[in-house]
Amino acid sequence: QVQMVESGGGVVQAGGSLRLSCTVSGLNFDDYAVAWFRQAPGKARDGSACINWSGKRTYYANSVKGRFTISRDNAKNMVYLQMNNLKPEDTAMYYCATRPTHGDCSDSWGSYNTYGQGTQVTVST
């Protein structure tokens, strides 16, 4: 059974930083791309960043480019999202998700079919 568990969310002031972690189990992690999605109240869930199976290719949405960094440690089955210079508009529930692919992690956001329970990030002014 595939499980994904997010952690690291919290409340931070604008301009601050947080590091989210995602622990993945129940699959051959080397065969999977991982993405971070976020969903603000009343809005759709959107992909913010993704990383391919090897960690050598990443993708960022324009809204987070230059501020967020996604990384992974395949030896530990972990994925991270370092979030710097946080803004109030980054306030959302953040989810990690995975799908089996050795291709581009951003070519099919709708194919991510396994999600964690989410971790809340709140950025205050």
Side-chain angles (χ1 to χ4, degrees):
Q1 180 181 357
V2 178
Q3 281 193 314
M4 306 188 73
V5 180
E6 303 94 337
S7 61
V11 180
V12 63
Q13 286 190 329
S17 298
L18 283 174
R19 188 194 195 206
L20 305 184
S21 298
C22 174
T23 304
V24 184
S25 61
L27 49 77
N28 185 3
F29 194 50
D30 291 355
D31 290 332
Y32 285 73
V34 179
W36 284 96
F37 288 77
R38 66 185 185 182
Q39 186 169 21
K43 296 188 176 181
R45 185 163 55 189
D46 291 326
S48 295
C50 69
I51 189 166
N52 79 328
W53 67 276
S54 67
K56 293 182 179 180
R57 296 180 66 181
T58 57
Y59 169 87
Y60 299 93
N62 287 336
S63 57
V64 306
K65 195 174 296 183
R67 300 187 298 121
F68 290 12
T69 302
I70 189 171
S71 61
R72 66 189 289 164
D73 185 338
N74 283 4
K76 297 180 179 179
N77 280 25
M78 296 283 294
V79 176
Y80 307 97
L81 187 68
Q82 177 67 43
M83 305 186 296
N84 298 328
N85 190 22
L86 283 160
K87 304 175 180 180
E89 51 264 42
D90 294 319
T91 295
M93 185 71 79
Y94 283 72
Y95 302 88
C96 61
T98 191
R99 67 182 179 102
T101 179
H102 280 184
D104 189 344
C105 68
S106 64
D107 64 356
S108 181
W109 289 98
S111 295
Y112 285 91
N113 53 14
T114 302
Y115 288 79
Q117 83 290 348
T119 186
Q120 177 68 37
V121 172
T122 302
V123 185
S124 62
T125 56

